[in-house]
Each structure stands twice: as C-alpha cells, then as structure tokens.
Amino acid sequence: MNDQPAKPVWVGFDLGGTKMMAVVFDDQLKILGRKRRKTRSANDRQVTLERLFETIDMAIEDADVTPDRVAGIGAGCPGPLDLQKGLILEAPNLGWKNVALKDQLEKRFKCPATICNDVDGGVFGEYSAGVAKGQRSVLGVFPGTGIGGGFVYEGQIFRGTRASCMEVGYLQLATEGGSAGVGPVGTLEGLASRLAISAEAAKAAYRGQAPRLFELAGTDLSKIRSSVLARAIEKGDTAIEAIVRRAAEQTGWGIGCLINILAPDMVVLGGGLVEALPKLYLESVREGIKRNVLPSLADVHKLRVAELGDLATAIGAAALIKQQLNSRS
Amino acid sequence: MNDQPAKPVWVGFDLGGTKMMAVVFDDQLKILGRKRRKTRSANDRQVTLERLFETIDMAIEDADVTPDRVAGIGAGCPGPLDLQKGLILEAPNLGWKNVALKDQLEKRFKCPATICNDVDGGVFGEYSAGVAKGQRSVLGVFPGTGIGGGFVYEGQIFRGTRASCMEVGYLQLATEGGSAGVGPVGTLEGLASRLAISAEAAKAAYRGQAPRLFELAGTDLSKIRSSVLARAIEKGDTAIEAIVRRAAEQTGWGIGCLINILAPDMVVLGGGLVEALPKLYLESVREGIKRNVLPSLADVHKLRVAELGDLATAIGAAALIKQQLNSRS
Amino acid sequence: MNDQPAKPVWVGFDLGGTKMMAVVFDDQLKILGRKRRKTRSANDRQVTLERLFETIDMAIEDADVTPDRVAGIGAGCPGPLDLQKGLILEAPNLGWKNVALKDQLEKRFKCPATICNDVDGGVFGEYSAGVAKGQRSVLGVFPGTGIGGGFVYEGQIFRGTRASCMEVGYLQLATEGGSAGVGPVGTLEGLASRLAISAEAAKAAYRGQAPRLFELAGTDLSKIRSSVLARAIEKGDTAIEAIVRRAAEQTGWGIGCLINILAPDMVVLGGGLVEALPKLYLESVREGIKRNVLPSLADVHKLRVAELGDLATAIGAAALIKQQLNSRS
Amino acid sequence: MNDQPAKPVWVGFDLGGTKMMAVVFDDQLKILGRKRRKTRSANDRQVTLERLFETIDMAIEDADVTPDRVAGIGAGCPGPLDLQKGLILEAPNLGWKNVALKDQLEKRFKCPATICNDVDGGVFGEYSAGVAKGQRSVLGVFPGTGIGGGFVYEGQIFRGTRASCMEVGYLQLATEGGSAGVGPVGTLEGLASRLAISAEAAKAAYRGQAPRLFELAGTDLSKIRSSVLARAIEKGDTAIEAIVRRAAEQTGWGIGCLINILAPDMVVLGGGLVEALPKLYLESVREGIKRNVLPSLADVHKLRVAELGDLATAIGAAALIKQQLNSRS
C-alpha cells in the first residue's frame, strides 16, 4: 500500500463445496483483494490443496501486497472439524478425511493459521463487521440445503467439546415430517430447509397447484433454487408462498426454542432463501418464534437479516485469526 | 358370437386422467373386446365426449357384437360425482364441470348406464371377479399420486350421502408431515402417497444418499415413477428402500385405523407401487397395521394384493350396471 | 294395558359396567316400565346373570304386563362380542369371558333375544326414536372414559366381520399425545376422551392454573367428572375451558376423517361431557371438523346432540330385536 | 473454628417454593453449619424476608462462627430474575414481585451478595464440588413439576441477555402432547416432566392398568410423587414402568438436541425422579439421546447422575459469590 514499515494484512478463506474464496483484509478488516474459484475436487488431495493455496496467492496478488505481510490466515470449512488440532475430519464434497489444513497453511504461507466451521465463521463475520457488531451474544441461523447455525458469546465463537456445535438443523420439532426413512424425522432441517421447501414446491408443481413454478423449473428439485421460488411467488403461485411461509414459521419454532436456551442479544438470519425473500421470511419467522418463546424472553432479542452475504465467512475467519493472535500477545 | 337369440353384453368404461379404456364383457364378465386410448381433453366438452363414445364403439367392434346387444354401460370416473343424478361434478384433468355422463351414455347407446367412482369401481371389480370374490366386506386401498379407497359391503358399493366416500387419503395420522402450506398436514396421502415417496426419494438423490436413483432419474419428481423406485432399490439404494418401507408402514397405520372402523373381511392393496414392490410393500403395511389395530380385530381381516391390474375399474363398472339392472327386475 | 288380545311388548336391556337397566316398550317403542340397578359383579357368573334376569322381571312388573307378552329381548353390552353366536367374549368389569347371553336370555324368558354393542345400541336408539330418526346413515360418537362409536347404515347397524367395529377412539390423529407407554399414542381416545381431559385439568389444578377446579375437586382424576368440569368453567377457570375446547376440536379432527370415509347424513354426539357442555362442545367439534373434512363433503352432514340420554341403548336394543323378528317374518 | 486470624466463610442460600435452606461453608466449600425451614410466605414481604435472614443467622450459629467472618452470600432463587440488578422479578409461590434480594442481603449482613437461578446454582454446585468437577462445560437437566436446566461454560454460569436461560423444559419436541389448551403443546416439559408422568400414571390407575399404584395413591396427582412411582414399579406395575421409560426417553430426545447445540463435556441429571429410579431413568435417557444426537457428537459427552442432592443449589450459590469476589480482586 505504501512504503512505510509494512502493516499486517489478514487472509480469510471460505472453502465451500462448490466454490472457494480467498480475501485479503487490512487491520480494520477492509478488503484489499480477493479471488473466487470453483472448488473442483481431485483424486489426489495434494492437487486440491495446491488449488486452494493458489487461490490465496491470487488474492494476495490482487491486494497488491507482498506475501510476507500476511500476519495470519483463517479458513472457514465445512464438515466436522477438530478445532484444537486444526483438522478437517471429513469433507465428503472434497473426498477429504483427516486433512491437517491448519498445519498445511502454516507451512506453505509461513504464518499462523486457524480453521473454523464455515457457519461459525459467518456469524463471527457478522459480529466483527456486520449487522451484529458489538452484541454480547449472537445466534446465526442459515437455511440452505441443510440449516446451519453458529453462536458468538461474549466476543468468542462458542465451542463444544473437541468439536463445533450449534447444529440447529438437528433440533427435533415434531415426530413426523421430512427425512422419512433416512434420518430422524421431524427435525428443523427435515421440515424447513431450502431443500425441504423445494420438495414440497415440486409436489405442488406436479399436482398443478403451482403453475408458475412449473413453467419456471418443472418438477426437478435441482432447478427449484431460492431465486426461482421467489419468482414463482412474485408471479402469483400462492401455494408456493404458503409453503415458504410454513417453513419459515417452523424455523421460527426452532429459533424460539433456541432463544429459551441461549437468550441471545441478536438472532441473525442469512442464506439464499432469506436474501431472496427477506420480508416474507422474517415475518413468518417472527410469527413462529411466538409459538415457543417464553414471555419473559419474548423481547430480549433482536431479529435481523445478515449483511455480509457471501463474504461473511471469509471476514469472520480473518477476524478469528486476528483475535487469536491478539489474545496471545 | 353365434346366430342364436343374442345374449346381452356389458360395457365397462374407465375414464382416467391420461388414458381411457372401454371393455366389452359377456354375462359371466368374460372379456369379449376392448379399446384403450389416450384421454386427450379438448376445449369443447362435446369433442372429449365424442372421443369417449368412439372408444366404446371400437371396443364393441373389437368384441364383434352388434351394438344392440349392449345391455348396459358402467363408467368409472375420477373426481367428485353425484351418483344419484349420474353427474361428474368436477374433473379438473378434463376441464369438466357438471357433465351428465350417465344421461349422455344412455342417449347415445340407447341402453341403461351408471357411473361410479373409479376406485370404487376397482374394488367392486376385485369383489366381482378378482382376489376378493365372495367376501362379505372388502376395503380397497390404492396408493398413487394420491391414495384412493373404496369399500364393498354386503355385496354393494358402500355409498355416502349424495356422494362417494372412502377418501382414505384424507385420514389424519399426524400433525406434521407432507402437504405443508397447501392442505391439511399429516394426512395419509401427505405422508405416504407415491408422490410423497418420490419427493423424499428426490431429496435423498439430491443429498447424494441414493446414487442409483440419481443415475436412473436425477432429482425430477416426474421421472421418479414406481418402476424407477423399484429398480433403484434392486440396485442397492438402501435409502430408497427405507423411504418406501416407511411410507408403506404409515399406510398400514391408516389401514389399521380403518380396520378398527370397518372390520372388513379383506383389505386389497393395488396401484403401481404395490405392483412394482409387492413383497416389500405388504410386509411393511402389515407391520404398520400392528401399530393401530385393536387386538380383538387383529386377525379378522385378510391382506391381499389386487389381481386385476388396469382392468379392475372396467370390470367393476360393468359388474355394477349388471347388478343394478338385475336388482330392478 | 287392556283386556283385548295382548299386544307384544319388547324389552331393551343396557348392561353397563356400574349400572344395569331394563326397559319395557310397547310396539311403538313407548316406555311401559323400567328398572335400574347397580351392576355388582359376583365371583359366580350365575349370580350376576340372576341379578340381570331379576332386573328384567322387575321392569316387566313395573310395566304391569304378563311375561308371556314379551316378544323379544335386546341387550346392549360392553366389550368385544360375537354377534352371530350372541356371546360376550370378554367383559372385564363383570369378570366375564365367553358368556352366551343370548341363549341364556332365550332360555329364561322363552322368547327370542339378541345382543349388540352398547354404543351401537345407543346410535340405533337415536335412529329409531331420537334425533336421527329416518336418516339414511348416522354416525354416533360418545366421548367418555374412552370414546365410543356406532354407525347405522341404510336402516341397519353396520357390522364388521364376526365383530362389532366403529372403534373411533382408536383413530390415530397424531404421533404423540396421551396413553404414553401403555398403548398406541396419539389416538383420538388418548388425546380427547373425558379421562384425557380430566388428566389435563388435574395438571392445571396442580399448577395453580385452575383455582375453581382445585376448590371443587382437588387434583384427583376420579373426582373431575363432566359436571365438575362444567362448573369450573362456569365459575371462570379459563384454562379448563381451553382444555375442553382443545379436546372437542380434536374430536372434530377425528369426525372430519370419518366423514371423509363414511359421508353420513348425520353425526350424533352424546355422553356426559357433551350433555354438560353442549354449546361449547359442539362449537369446537365443528371447528375441528373443518381441519380435515374435504370441501366436497363439508356440507353433506348434519351435526347434532343425542336426545335420548341414558335410555338410548335400551331403546336401540329393543328396536333391534323388533327389527330382526320383523325381517324374518 | 479456631483462634487464629479468622478465615472467611461463605453462605449459600436455597430459596425454594416450599422450603428454604442456608448453609455455611469454609473456603474449600466444606460445610460448617446449616439450617432448613419451611418457606411460609406472608402477606407482608418484609416478614418473609425476615424469616429468610433468620434462617441464615441460624446457619451461622450452627457453624459456630462469628457473623463478621461471612465474606459473601449467594442465593439461588426461583422464577425470572434480573441478574445484573440482583432482583427477583417474580416469585409466584412467595407472592413476590421485584424484590431486590441482593441489596437486602448486603444491607442486612454487611457483605457482598449475589443471586442466581436455583437450577443454575445446582449445576454450578455440581461443577464446583460434585460429579462435574473440572469439566469444561456441563449441562444440567432436572425433571420435576417442570424441567429445569442450567449450563456451566468454561467455568462460568452461562447467562442470557438480562436474564437467565437454559429453559430446557420449553424445547418443542412434538406438535401434540401435554399442556393442551394452556400453553404450547409438545414441549419437553409437557411430555416428560414428573407432573406429566404422574398424570399418565393416574390415568393408568383409573383404567385399572396400574393396581399397585392405585393401592398406594389412588388417582390423585398430588399423591403420585416420585417415590410412589418407584414403589409401584417395584411392586410390579409394568404400565407405570412403561410410562416412566417413555418420558425418560423423551427427555433423552431433548438432551440429544441440546448436545447438538452445546456439545457439552458432561450432562448431569438430577431431581427426585432421577434419584428414585436412577438406573431405569438413565438407561431410557441414553436410548432417547440416540434418536437425535449427531454421530459426530454421540461420544463426546458423559451422562451422569447428580451427586449433591438437596445441597447442590446452596453449594453452587456459595461457590458463585466466592468466584465473583475472587475475579474482582
């Protein structure tokens, strides 16, 4: 940036199932450069790792800083992790098992690194630089193919024993519904994930109850994405609106329970469906929360939509490595 | 058939959403001729009716009998009917409302006619010439896009007030599951119809839990038909087997309730899914019945697979008009 | 009655768990005499039978007719019956197993006898001389300790194979609720019987949510009878009103399903709770029916409160033996 | 204790709905003295407070220490609290609203005081001196009339915004079951509290399915306490065993969800029912956890029965004030 003694920069990395993204930040978490690529898993794990490293290299180049200014790297990763050892225990999309990502990053880039769950990273991002800045405790809920959750408590990512937690998709809300035959039925994820919504929507399309959706995407789950659902509702498919409202309300049932458990200052909702239908979704979540929240806790939380979109995890991961290094010094 | 005084023949007609079929029977319900065509609905209701009449003409021709030997016509029809007046109140697939099918048939063919619900016709067919011959009371359950039911009691199709009944798909079995947002949740149909199974199967395919199904049909509900489900199970998709077993078991929950209500001699299961997977399906239904059936009723019924396949409704409709004319004389 | 050639009289008998009642009717089912006594079971079944016979003797005496004018006796009995053989298969309250009541009555009173399920008898009574007179089909639902059901179809008591049926209390409506651990959960009976209501009410009393009920009956289930519930509501226990409304609504869920199955002309509600709170109960049942009834069947039935009270079973049993003898001659 | 410079002592107080208890501890949380009395609420709040103060006085006397050695007082209290201000917002059993207990204690005893939720206090007690000593995170679950919960995370009582939390009784697990009409149905508390168990047990006794319980306690909820349930099971009431097992399993459903959320090192179960039936209860909870816990979290927690019994809250409250003062210095 300038010729004075180089200030540190931080790298946040988001390792998704379909895309990966590296972002370089200055000390105030302002973005200096970035690179986004398809994830593309290879049979050889080293090839995939190399692609990951290159993406970071490209982001550093884009930021126009020298690699030696990178003070730390944080990486948000899917799947079960061993946070203490910095291991990805399993990442089915990448075909990875027991990959020591933290060590690999430290060896390659010669700076401290850390890993975190990608949803935790996203919530920590919103806490560090987004809608939840400065809140004492923040619960994040992100509906997608599943429903992810993360929690920041007194400035720290909340952590379970040896493992990440806040698996809000696995709250049991009913004894029927969803995932029949292939998992516990009646979970929040089984009832109300984007995938569950898409399946109900496909049924409605098949039965002739959702003509607009049928025109837009037929009856194929893979084509019934959040944006398609939003368009079908806009064009008048009331059945699709009812289906989304129902699922959002059920998400509210789950959030109501979590408020009773955690009593957070703020609940942040994010993900594609929330972004595509923020008003409808929030209204219905709010309605659903009422079913379950205790009167004494009904007004202690704020409900907000996430602000940082796709960047949340990268920001959070960078903020995390920065926090860890600061607390050590 | 021969030159002696002509014996009466009977026409059974099955008016489906996608295909129609006319069958000509002798007095012992032996098939003399038949014709099957696509239903093809036209804007002009008279055009569709004409196509229906032609199909009967063709079946009579195929039977090689003169039209004046037709003693009566029975027609099994979808949708809500007025049985006394012989009206089809509504048939969305045909775009029909209030079509006086009985009168139209009588005028065109100059013989008595009757209409019945298609599922009732199918059960009466199995009672008249199939697996349920001679039973005092027979409950038929036919899972498909919905779940149809019919009941024959002391030799007669059981009839509700002004309307057909045995809407077994609308039994409530749970307070969650299926049809979210567009109808009462937790119905037998919402939980366990072939469509509900296909949607759960598509989700499993999407999540990578059913690789064989994914190869065979992707994630498109319309392509996940009964035969495809059967093939995926055969090739090793245990998730699909679990989904079908669960739905069949839930169908058994409903049948268990119906046995407590009706205590029939026999329960007949039919439809594409049952035909594609008879053993697996029956086993699971039997298991599910146990959940709900009262001990004193546990052994009074027999559980069987339908025998007549696609012909059941036509046979039953012909048997019905024959019965009605015999009881009048 | 007079000195002319003696007209036949009919005896209807109601064998309850706690009381028995014999009633003598003329040919128009007008009451001529009656006797009601505690049931009192003895170790020796013959002693109990003798008490039953005496009760009939007393009713005949009360009617001031000679025993030889008794043309037939009908008896409504609890528990599983063999209707063809006239056996009480099991009556736990009496300690009876396989008692040939029909034969015993015929031998003692030297006239034809018949037995029927007590709830069937009650519905047949309402059909013969009560609120459902002349209806083509009548469904009766009687909530009490359990929830009994009966059905009259085209002038006859609907009968299952070898057994009585219409066990409406065993409809599954949910996968949770009631009878936990000692039977299938989520049944209509488990959710909404008077006993289920009393248990919820006792909990509310225990938690201090129902102070009036607590004053009236404490927290003892045995003391929380229908009349006590009614009084607590009248005195202002809104929690008790909410509990009864909820149960009545769930009863409506079940009735909605039964309308989809049977499409009866009339649904008759009876029993102590309905009599104690007719308006509140009917309103909530009507609300609950809406959840499940198909639009095409929503207006084909009439919903009524039973008229004959305690006499229904005796009247129905007498009407039944009269009908059986008339149809034979 | 001795004549040397007086070491500090700590007072833990447990303010229950029916009894109150004060305990004096040395610096190692060893008990020096105690006093337990009925709570007895008076119309005048000052009278009740005075009784509370006297109880502490008596415990100090029992400990044989001078009041000036009391370094701090911690009090575990029921109901919603304002932890920052030290207020009891509402305690229905005492008829209290907005009582500044912390200030009152500090004024009377001239030493620092703190208040905490009684269940939090109990869990902190088990963490400080009981079965959960030294665990990084401990979830406590205490089934009683309701189902209480508390959580200790990294050595601190986990706290919500302005309020206590971990209201585990209000987890929604089903959409039917319990609390019908007077609260959200299907909660853990509605399904599985000791009160819910007693109500199901009373129904079983009423129906003749639990003869031993009937002998012991009739059908009165208030008499069906934990010890009575245990005795009925011991004497052979299999229905009661099934009811308790079912409820414990459902408690496990809820704990399974909480493990997915919090991933604690240890789960501690306490309360009268657990103490009366530890083996049966733990077995069934363990079974229930399996329904919901994620495979990756299935083995990270330990499940234990609480050790400190009635003393847990007093110990925890004393440990809490000690911790607060130590962290300030």
Side-chain angles (χ1 to χ4, degrees), chain B residues 13-21 35-41 48 51-52 55 94:
Chain B
F13 190 82
D14 182 358
L15 178 59
T18 54
K19 54 105 198 144
M20 52 171 70
M21 175 162 51
K35 182 65 196 178
R36 184 179 179 148
R37 292 206 293 174
K38 291 210 171 140
T39 296
R40 236 179 251 165
S41 71
T48 312
R51 184 172 175 82
L52 188 162
T55 309
L94 300 170

Side-chain angles (χ1 to χ4, degrees), chain A residues 300-320:
Chain A
V300 300
H301 66 282
K302 294 177 277 285
L303 184 68
R304 294 285 183 277
V305 171
E307 273 180 11
L308 304 178
D310 273 4
L311 285 166
T313 295
I315 295 176
L320 180 64

Side-chain angles (χ1 to χ4, degrees), chain A residues 9-197:
Chain A
V9 300
W10 308 91
V11 174
F13 191 80
D14 182 359
L15 178 59
T18 54
K19 52 105 197 148
M20 52 171 70
M21 175 162 53
V23 188
V24 179
F25 300 92
D26 71 11
D27 223 32
Q28 280 69 48
L29 294 177
K30 223 188 75 192
I31 295 175
L32 302 178
R34 67 175 101 179
K35 181 65 194 175
R36 183 179 178 146
R37 294 206 293 175
K38 291 214 172 136
T39 296
R40 234 180 252 168
S41 70
N43 284 339
D44 184 343
R45 82 155 67 161
Q46 204 55 43
V47 174
T48 310
L49 269 175
E50 214 45 64
R51 186 171 173 82
L52 189 161
F53 297 154
E54 279 168 29
T55 308
I56 294 177
D57 286 337
M58 290 169 174
I60 293 171
E61 207 178 298
D62 185 55
D64 201 14
V65 297
T66 51
D68 60 302
R69 282 179 55 200
V70 175
I73 302 175
C77 314
L81 310 175
D82 184 320
L83 297 171
Q84 281 156 24
K85 299 188 185 160
L87 296 177
I88 295 182
L89 295 174
E90 198 176 349
N93 282 330
L94 300 170
W96 280 5
K97 283 205 173 190
N98 297 312
V99 172
L101 185 60
K102 174 184 144 80
D103 286 354
Q104 293 270 2
L105 286 167
E106 293 186 339
K107 212 170 75 180
R108 173 59 149 67
F109 292 96
K110 295 177 181 48
C111 69
T114 194
I115 67 170
C116 64
N117 174 279
D118 49 3
V119 185
D120 282 337
V123 182
F124 198 62
E126 295 289 343
Y127 164 78
S128 303
V131 70
K133 219 166 170 172
Q135 301 292 317
R136 180 179 161 275
S137 63
V138 186
L139 172 67
V141 175
F142 296 80
T145 302
I147 297 188
F151 186 53
V152 172
Y153 179 68
E154 300 190 339
Q156 308 276 336
I157 293 177
F158 183 92
R159 293 188 171 187
T161 299
R162 276 200 294 126
S164 65
C165 50
M166 286 294 141
E167 293 285 358
V168 302
Y170 292 85
L171 274 178
Q172 177 190 340
L173 293 175
T175 47
E176 248 349 285
S179 295
V182 289
V185 292
T187 59
L188 176 53
E189 193 162 304
L191 293 169
S193 66
R194 208 267 309 142
L195 183 58
I197 291 172

Side-chain angles (χ1 to χ4, degrees), chain A residues 281-311:
Chain A
Y281 201 88
L282 242 74
E283 265 174 29
S284 303
V285 165
R286 201 164 270 132
E287 204 52 47
I289 288 174
K290 284 186 203 159
R291 183 195 187 280
N292 284 335
V293 77
L294 281 167
S296 61
L297 293 168
D299 61 348
V300 300
H301 66 282
K302 294 177 277 285
L303 184 68
R304 294 285 183 277
V305 171
E307 273 180 11
L308 304 178
D310 273 4
L311 285 166

